[in-house]
Amino acid sequence: LKLFYRQIENYHAVGHKMSHIKHFWIVKNKDPVIDSLNRLSSKNRAKSIATYDFSTLYTKIPHNKLLSVFKEITDFCFNGCANSKILINDSYARWCHNPEKITNSKKRLWDKGTVNKSLAYLLDNCYFAVGKNVYKQVIGIPMGTDPAPFMANLFLYYYEDKFMKELKSKDKKSAYKFGHVWRYIDDLNAVNNDNIFESNIPNIYPSELELKKENDGYLNATFLDLDIKINDKKFSLKLYDKRDDFGFSIVRMPFASNNMPSSIFYSSFCSELLRIARCTTGKDDFYSSSEQLLKRMYKQNEENENKLKRMTNCLNKLYTKNLDIFDKFFDTEKQLFDQFLLNLRK
């Protein structure tokens, strides 16, 4: 299924470049979302944002519908690699265009019939035990199995692609409005869509799936670990962590007193600071989030007398290696040190 996912992703990447109509909404992380929002902001084109969540994704998909969808996906992928089979061993699966030349008995060749039978076997043989009772799963994706995320992603993709094909043939102008729609498994984000997605939810997904709007209004929302707001036709981004809303302290990063190399402690500190910088557009938001991180890490390193020097060295390396990211917050390296380390000395 991972092989199918990559093939479908590449197919639609080419199609998107040629038609400028987006059929494949799935993202693996927040990076393409940040890039697109920053491009829209540079043109003062931030208009609206809406986020949605599937409340019944894994638990409500009927097995017969799931198998029917994957039969069509399997056919599509094999048709794109005519006369080929999937070569499988213990570490990978890839397309084999000359299956007759494979002689190693440890490698297996699968045709589309074998793929479909394997999926049917997996869905028909999911059991779990509660006490002395054994139950068979008869509906929904078997959570916890390796292919489960790909099953969910590709199942939803099938209906999204089908909808976009129909929309493109009937109303091409509306189809262009889906250029800034992203989905991360069961979380969906629609930007500058003029509510076309929201009004078509019953036309896109099967009736078994329930999709609810998450944010109030259309001017601010959280998606993945991003807090997104619209101000003056620009998107303002900052890091969002639901743990900040808890009424108690949470240990989020390692303590330097742990039985681990000190370099891991400082690497964690640098990587988290870099994550904040990549996810933030405003100076004040960056200063607020990063100062909280610095103080937390400084406190979790109380036993080290050289901690200020080590943090200074880390900041120096981090800044010089990522000038393109930190330049929007600091004009010089000295400004970075003045902003954070001087406060820690107080």
Side-chain angles (χ1 to χ4, degrees):
L1 297 188
K2 186 176 182 179
L3 182 69
F4 289 172
Y5 175 93
R6 289 198 300 262
Q7 182 177 347
I8 292 170
E9 181 182 33
N10 293 335
Y11 171 83
H12 284 296
V14 175
H16 188 200
K17 287 182 180 179
M18 296 176 65
S19 68
H20 302 287
I21 294 177
K22 185 177 178 183
H23 289 242
F24 192 79
W25 302 346
I26 307 171
V27 291
K28 300 173 185 175
N29 53 52
K30 61 181 174 290
D31 292 345
V33 180
I34 293 175
D35 292 341
S36 293
L37 294 182
N38 286 337
R39 283 196 297 270
L40 290 172
S41 293
S42 67
K43 301 175 182 178
N44 293 323
R45 291 176 54 194
K47 299 177 182 178
S48 66
I49 180 170
T51 54
Y52 307 85
D53 179 69
F54 287 95
S55 57
T56 58
L57 177 58
Y58 278 93
T59 57
K60 292 292 185 180
I61 299 175
H63 286 180
N64 61 338
K65 190 167 288 189
L66 189 64
L67 289 174
S68 175
V69 165
F70 272 95
K71 184 179 185 304
E72 293 198 37
I73 289 176
T74 302
D75 288 344
F76 173 81
C77 291
F78 272 89
N79 289 340
C81 295
N83 302 318
S84 299
K85 293 185 178 181
I86 298 177
L87 177 64
I88 299 173
N89 66 13
D90 293 337
S91 58
Y92 65 80
R94 63 177 177 83
W95 287 105
C96 178
H97 303 296
N98 298 297
E100 66 280 356
K101 294 183 179 180
I102 301 298
T103 58
N104 192 335
S105 60
K106 292 184 178 180
K107 296 179 179 180
R108 299 175 291 278
L109 288 171
W110 281 22
D111 56 20
K112 62 182 180 182
T114 308
V115 174
N116 290 328
K117 288 179 182 178
S118 298
L119 286 169
Y121 181 87
L122 174 63
L123 293 176
D124 196 44
N125 289 274
C126 285
Y127 298 89
F128 58 96
V130 179
K132 296 182 179 180
N133 298 322
V134 177
Y135 297 89
K136 180 180 180 179
Q137 182 171 347
V138 296
I139 189 171
I141 294 174
M143 296 174 66
T145 59
D146 289 341
F150 294 100
M151 283 184 175
N153 259 333
L154 292 175
F155 181 79
L156 294 180
Y157 149 78
Y158 171 82
Y159 291 97
E160 293 158 357
D161 178 52
K162 184 178 179 181
F163 168 77
M164 290 303 299
K165 287 176 180 176
E166 295 176 357
L167 183 64
K168 184 168 62 174
S169 65
K170 297 176 182 178
D171 186 357
K172 213 167 193 178
K173 185 177 179 180
S174 294
Y176 285 120
K177 296 287 186 179
F178 286 79
H180 300 290
V181 174
W182 302 278
R183 180 173 57 77
Y184 183 82
I185 305 183
D186 59 350
D187 292 323
L188 196 142
N189 183 11
V191 168
N192 291 0
N193 184 251
D194 293 343
N195 293 341
I196 300 175
F197 172 82
E198 188 168 337
S199 62
N200 278 286
I201 289 175
N203 301 325
I204 302 175
Y205 300 107
S207 58
E208 291 86 0
L209 302 183
E210 185 178 358
L211 185 64
K212 295 181 179 179
K213 189 171 183 292
E214 289 284 288
N215 63 317
D216 296 325
Y218 298 91
L219 296 179
N220 66 279
T222 58
F223 182 64
L224 301 180
D225 57 353
L226 295 174
D227 186 328
I228 308 167
K229 294 181 180 179
I230 297 177
N231 294 312
D232 298 327
K233 297 182 179 181
K234 293 181 182 291
F235 290 105
S236 175
L237 311 179
K238 67 178 181 179
L239 200 64
Y240 170 73
D241 191 331
K242 64 178 67 176
R243 294 172 295 184
D244 291 335
D245 300 330
F246 296 168
F248 48 87
S249 177
I250 295 176
V251 177
R252 311 182 193 183
M253 304 289 284
F255 279 81
S257 57
N258 269 343
N259 185 22
M260 66 178 183
S262 60
S263 59
I264 295 179
F265 175 86
Y266 291 100
S267 295
S268 301
F269 155 66
C270 287
S271 62
E272 182 66 10
L273 190 60
L274 184 61
R275 187 170 77 100
I276 293 172
R278 284 175 171 161
C279 297
T280 310
T281 54
K283 276 189 178 181
D284 291 341
D285 289 331
F286 173 74
Y287 291 163
S288 175
S289 297
S290 54
E291 282 185 2
Q292 291 177 20
L293 169 68
L294 283 162
K295 290 178 180 179
R296 187 166 65 244
M297 298 298 287
Y298 197 75
K299 184 178 180 180
Q300 291 176 201
N301 194 16
E302 290 179 342
E303 297 179 3
N304 191 342
E305 297 178 357
N306 298 320
K307 57 185 175 181
L308 196 58
K309 182 178 179 181
R310 291 288 298 272
M311 282 192 172
T312 302
N313 291 337
C314 281
L315 286 174
N316 180 29
K317 292 179 181 178
L318 186 66
Y319 181 81
T320 54
K321 289 182 178 180
N322 299 278
L323 289 174
D324 57 325
I325 296 175
F326 287 100
D327 272 355
K328 60 184 177 181
F329 305 118
F330 307 102
D331 294 326
T332 64
E333 188 178 32
K334 184 177 181 300
Q335 284 186 356
L336 182 146
F337 294 147
D338 290 345
Q339 178 66 34
F340 299 123
L341 296 183
L342 290 179
N343 290 333
L344 292 175
R345 287 191 178 99
K346 295 178 181 179

